[in-house]
Structure formats: structure tokens, C-alpha cells
Amino acid sequence: MSASVTEGGGGPGHHEGVYTPEAVRVDLPIADVGSRTLSIIIDLVVMLTLLYVVLLLAVGALGVALSGAGTDAAWPVVVLVLLLNFLVLWGYPVGCETLFGGRTAGKAALGLRVVTLEGAPVRFRHAAIRGLFAFLDFYLLLGIPALITALVTRRAQRLGDLAAGTVVVKDRGGQAGSDQPVWWQVPPALQGYATTLDVRGLGAGDYALVRRFLLRAGDLRPEHRARVATDLANALAQRMRHQPPPGTHPEALLLCVAALMQRGPGAGPQRPGPQSPGPQGPGGAPPGTGAGWAPAYGPAQGPPDPSGWAMPG
């Protein structure tokens, strides 16, 4: 998979826009060098602790080997120590990033995550490549190559990121409850509009994208929020073969899609219970829609907006 990169401003700390193969724009909040440095320090403390434990075990094993069978028995112990050191320095970051969604202990503490350039979770091959290059740009050369490449590349990538096709992003939004149970509900003002949507052609991946956006929308800058919502709504509308009425706000479609997909095909009326607040703008409604999530319909006459959405100003 590949993604095309759009505007971003360059340097760490900015938002880098990429388009996935499904034509959905994802704005990646690039991690700055300072937070990445602190996360590396935390990870180094963890690895040094593990190496200290390995060293203690090695000294004990070496003493037993020397006292029992002489110097010839010490070589297997030395080889084992070197292997264990490699497993700690390479296996710790690789194992953590593979098993915990691109996070190590340091990255989790600083709210960072390693993702692919498409914004997808990293797999073992990505983490393995990053781990191997860490010996070059971190361990052997004291992190100097990593610092230089992070400062001069557009997406603040070190050598391992460039080789693996990954980037480190800020992921504080995930701590705000991306795994929390949420029951999406269609607001009364959108009940009629929701009946025009056929979500049977959408899958779990589509729902995950919509859910992630709705939960994190309040943390996005307004221009990025509007852009992501528009791109995502356009992609889903095309998949559903749906032509939105002129002036419909994209977040209205996204909320309806999330509610309908959660209820499933042929589901009955919405169950009672706490209503999810949805993405909040000023006054509790999507920007430009007025109160109560009412879709911002344009004039009845005239053709629909060519882009599919007429974003209120």
C-alpha cells in the first residue's frame, strides 16, 4: 500500500496529510524531537535494567562454568550473553511495537505511536526493520544520525523510519477513550436523513475509521477536522452510492453511518441509554450546523455542490 503526501508545513510537530488507497485523507500529528527523545530515554532505562539483570545472570553462570570445567566452558556463556544482549536491544522495541500497536513503554508514557505512512498500525516487518537500523543510528553512533535525519526530513523520520516506511505520531487522543464503549445515536433532526443511507456495503474497517474520527474530532484543529470529515464522508458516500443533499454537513453523515452500522442491518429502534455526545463544536454542535445536529441544507434550487458537500463557513 502507498499513500500520497499533501500539505503539512514540514518539520516535527506539524500535521502531515496523507491519502490512503481508499482516498481517505488522514492527518498525522507528527511527534516532535523533544517528546521522542524523552520516550527514547525511558526505553533506554528499561533496556538497561534488562541488560543489568542479564549481566548478573551471566556473571553467576560464568563463575559456575569456570569453577567446574575451566575456561573452555566459559565460551558458551559468553556467546549466550551476547545473544541475550541482542535480544534485549532489538527484541524489546520490536516486540513492544508489534504487540502493543506501535508503542513501547517510552512512547506510551509520552503519548506517541509508530504507524505506517498510511496511518495503519505497524506489523512485525516494520518493527524489525526499525529495530535493526537502531543499531546504526542509535547504539553505535550515539543517536547522532537519528537526530540529524529527524531534523531534516519532512516527517521527522530517522533512518529506521525511512527504511521501514513508518513515522512516529502523537496519539494522546487514543488515551481519551478510543476503546471505551460508545452507543452512537441518530439525533431526532437527522432521523429522516438517516433513512436514506444504505450502509450494508460498508465493513468493519469503515466503521473503525468513522468511530476513530468521531471520538477524536474535538482534539483536531478546525481546519484539519473539516478536511478529514469531508474526505472521509466523500469516500463513504461514494461507497454507498449516496448523493448528499446540497449543504449537508459531512459530520452529520458520519454520525448517522456510525449509528446505523452499530445497530447492524435490520436492527430495530434505538435502545435507550446514554447518548454519545459526538464530535463537539461551539455550543455542542458540528461547526456551522446550528444546534441539535441539524443538517445545513442549502437552497432547494440549483445543482448539488460539485465536491459533494457544501461546508458551512
Side-chain angles (χ1 to χ4, degrees):
M1 296 176 67
S2 61
S4 60
V5 182
T6 62
E7 59 194 309
H14 70 282
H15 284 64
E16 188 72 30
V18 300
Y19 281 93
T20 70
E22 293 77 24
V24 176
R25 179 187 168 103
V26 180
D27 281 289
L28 301 178
I30 304 298
D32 58 87
V33 175
S35 59
R36 291 183 66 176
T37 301
L38 290 176
S39 73
I40 291 169
I41 292 174
I42 295 174
D43 288 330
L44 286 176
V45 171
V46 174
M47 287 188 286
L48 287 174
T49 302
L50 294 175
L51 289 174
Y52 179 71
V53 173
V54 169
L55 180 61
L56 290 179
L57 295 176
V59 169
L62 186 60
V64 172
L66 290 175
S67 62
T71 56
D72 290 340
W75 288 106
V77 177
V78 173
V79 172
L80 180 61
V81 170
L82 293 176
L83 178 60
L84 290 175
N85 279 316
F86 173 79
L87 289 178
V88 169
L89 295 175
W90 179 79
Y92 163 76
V94 172
C96 288
E97 290 176 4
T98 303
L99 297 175
F100 303 116
R103 297 189 188 96
T104 59
K107 291 183 179 65
L110 272 296
L112 307 180
R113 179 197 295 268
V114 182
V115 298
T116 68
L117 292 180
E118 295 83 20
V122 293
R123 298 184 179 181
F124 173 76
R125 63 182 179 87
H126 302 107
I129 293 173
R130 296 183 82 254
L132 288 175
F133 272 83
F135 284 91
L136 175 62
D137 57 7
F138 274 125
Y139 307 139
L140 297 180
L141 299 176
L142 304 178
I144 296 176
L147 178 61
I148 294 175
T149 54
L151 290 175
V152 301
T153 55
R154 180 174 182 175
R155 295 183 288 271
Q157 295 168 289
R158 64 176 181 85
L159 293 178
D161 290 316
L162 293 172
T166 57
V167 65
V168 180
V169 299
K170 298 177 182 178
D171 195 41
R172 280 296 184 193
Q175 298 180 1
S178 61
D179 296 325
Q180 67 191 36
V182 177
W183 184 257
W184 306 107
Q185 297 196 39
V186 178
L190 296 178
Q191 291 285 353
Y193 176 64
T195 62
T196 67
L197 302 176
D198 183 1
V199 300
R200 289 175 294 180
L202 303 180
D206 300 308
Y207 174 74
L209 281 174
V210 174
R211 183 181 189 277
R212 183 176 178 84
F213 169 78
L214 292 175
L215 287 175
R216 300 186 62 180
D219 297 327
L220 299 177
R221 288 185 291 178
E223 64 272 19
H224 292 130
R225 173 175 174 170
R227 198 175 295 131
V228 173
T230 302
D231 292 340
L232 183 55
N234 275 328
L236 295 179
Q238 185 177 15
R239 297 271 304 279
M240 294 186 295
R241 297 182 178 179
H242 169 70
Q243 179 62 48
T248 303
H249 197 285
E251 292 185 21
L253 180 142
L254 296 179
L255 181 61
C256 290
V257 165
L260 293 174
M261 292 192 71
Q262 191 175 57
R263 292 163 62 186
Q270 298 185 70
R271 68 182 185 185
Q275 180 171 332
S276 62
Q280 298 294 304
T289 63
W293 286 90
Y297 291 105
Q301 68 275 12
D305 184 86
S307 65
W309 306 108
M311 290 294 295

